[in-house]
Amino acid sequence: MIKTQATATMDEPVLIVTGEFIELIAKIGTLEFSGKLLEAMDRLLGGDHCACYRLSDYHLSEIGSASHTSSSLAQAVKGSVYDVKRHLVTAGDNIRVRVIRPVNSTTEPNQTGAAAENYETVLVYARINQASYCLKLLRSADRSELSGDTLLELEQSARFLLTMISRHAELFEQKSDLTPALASREDIEDCVYNMSDLSRREREVCSRILHGMSSCVIADDLGIGKESVMTYRKRAYNRLGIASQRELLMWYLDVWNDWVNSGKRNRDQQQEAA
């Protein structure tokens, strides 16, 4: 169970851009945005997990998330978004900040479904243009209680935060057409080659993963063992700072857009043809 500890509504929010958000601005539209957002919120409030959501036409989607804690908490949060949708359905133009504390913070962490209940929840939400956006932050229940000054600083920065989140979502929507980026394995490999420092085998393996090939098919195509494919994949993921095929795809789409929009793709192809 949870209980509402504090609720704040800002009729005329004050836009404050502090040093906490300078680095965050530069990461809008990139894979690093969620991590930088958590860092900024951690410095401001103290946070263990954050997630951004958008509600449009009654469809709730996660824009991004980041966590300092175990994967079990992240999974618990992903499976418990009813509170987000419930608040976003009634969201208006005014920014709302809501702090919800657990009634009992002594729940054993290994109890099924209890992980997220040991965390204080901070919700920042409002309607921006044609959609509603929410920033959800989880704070460990053993953290000190949020002070009035800290809440005031959050309230003053809230509209700026949600505006950045909405802009980040818009930029990712512009990258949603995957057909040009994934149509040709040769183009995929060219992009990975020119936009990373991966070794030849690492590039070959990642390019084939992005093209939809399984480990067995990749091994047969390259004439190497399946274990070798898994080794090259692990090395590539470590170099790129990622941990999953989904993150590989997100990294690739990010660098693909940079490669194409900057004109570097055309220059690289001209150099290869010369």
Side-chain angles (χ1 to χ4, degrees):
M1 294 178 62
I2 56 176
K3 65 178 181 180
T4 300
Q5 181 195 39
T7 303
T9 303
M10 296 194 63
D11 294 327
E12 296 181 1
V14 180
L15 180 60
I16 294 182
V17 183
T18 68
E20 307 293 340
F21 306 122
I22 298 301
E23 293 182 0
L24 181 60
I25 295 172
K27 299 301 181 181
I28 293 175
T30 72
L31 293 175
E32 292 85 7
F33 179 80
S34 296
K36 286 297 181 183
L37 177 60
L38 178 58
E39 289 179 14
M41 299 308 295
D42 191 15
R43 290 192 295 266
L44 179 62
L45 305 176
D48 301 287
H49 177 92
C50 76
C52 307
Y53 300 92
R54 177 175 59 187
L55 182 71
S56 180
D57 295 327
Y58 296 99
H59 173 70
L60 182 69
S61 58
E62 181 184 289
I63 298 168
S65 64
S67 180
H68 290 323
T69 58
S70 65
S71 59
S72 60
L73 172 63
Q75 291 301 317
V77 173
K78 288 179 182 295
S80 177
V81 294
Y82 170 75
D83 58 334
V84 173
K85 189 168 186 178
R86 179 167 57 86
H87 286 92
L88 283 181
V89 165
T90 60
D93 294 335
N94 292 336
I95 301 289
R96 291 185 176 271
V97 177
R98 195 173 185 87
V99 181
I100 305 170
R101 289 186 59 84
V103 171
N104 182 5
S105 61
T106 62
T107 307
E108 292 296 326
N110 61 352
Q111 288 184 1
T112 303
E117 295 181 6
N118 289 324
Y119 289 79
E120 179 180 70
T121 301
V122 180
L123 299 177
V124 181
Y125 59 99
R127 186 168 184 82
I128 298 178
N129 298 326
Q130 302 302 313
S132 298
Y133 293 88
C134 176
L135 167 61
K136 180 176 182 177
L137 179 73
L138 295 188
R139 304 175 71 247
S140 176
D142 58 10
R143 288 181 181 269
S144 59
E145 185 173 339
L146 292 173
S147 68
D149 288 343
T150 300
L151 278 174
L152 178 60
E153 187 174 354
L154 173 62
E155 292 165 9
Q156 291 174 332
S157 305
R159 182 168 294 280
F160 178 65
L161 283 168
L162 292 182
T163 300
M164 285 195 294
I165 291 170
S166 67
R167 178 56 179 157
H168 175 68
E170 290 171 3
L171 288 178
F172 259 87
E173 276 190 348
Q174 295 172 10
K175 303 175 183 179
S176 61
D177 183 3
L178 309 186
T179 303
L182 299 172
S184 164
R185 196 190 74 198
E186 288 74 19
D187 280 349
I188 296 173
E189 197 158 348
D190 283 347
C191 177
V192 174
Y193 172 78
N194 287 288
M195 301 298 285
S196 75
D197 60 355
L198 298 179
S199 70
R200 177 175 62 88
R201 281 299 195 200
E202 290 166 355
R203 293 195 305 266
E204 290 172 343
V205 168
C206 286
S207 299
R208 284 159 176 77
I209 291 173
L210 289 164
H211 201 53
M213 296 173 131
S214 67
S215 295
C216 291
V217 174
I218 294 173
D220 184 63
D221 189 51
L222 295 178
I224 59 178
K226 182 179 177 182
E227 292 298 323
S228 295
V229 171
M230 296 173 69
T231 297
Y232 287 123
R233 181 184 65 186
K234 182 178 180 180
R235 289 178 183 173
Y237 283 10
N238 286 337
R239 284 177 183 266
L240 298 175
I242 60 176
S244 67
Q245 186 171 334
R246 175 180 176 274
E247 290 181 341
L248 174 64
L249 176 61
M250 293 178 68
W251 169 85
Y252 171 71
L253 293 177
D254 202 37
V255 299
W256 167 272
N257 277 273
D258 288 343
W259 192 46
V260 172
N261 295 334
S262 67
K264 193 173 187 301
R265 180 192 185 193
N266 291 334
R267 292 194 299 271
D268 290 336
Q269 291 176 339
Q270 289 170 1
Q271 290 174 0
E272 292 172 4

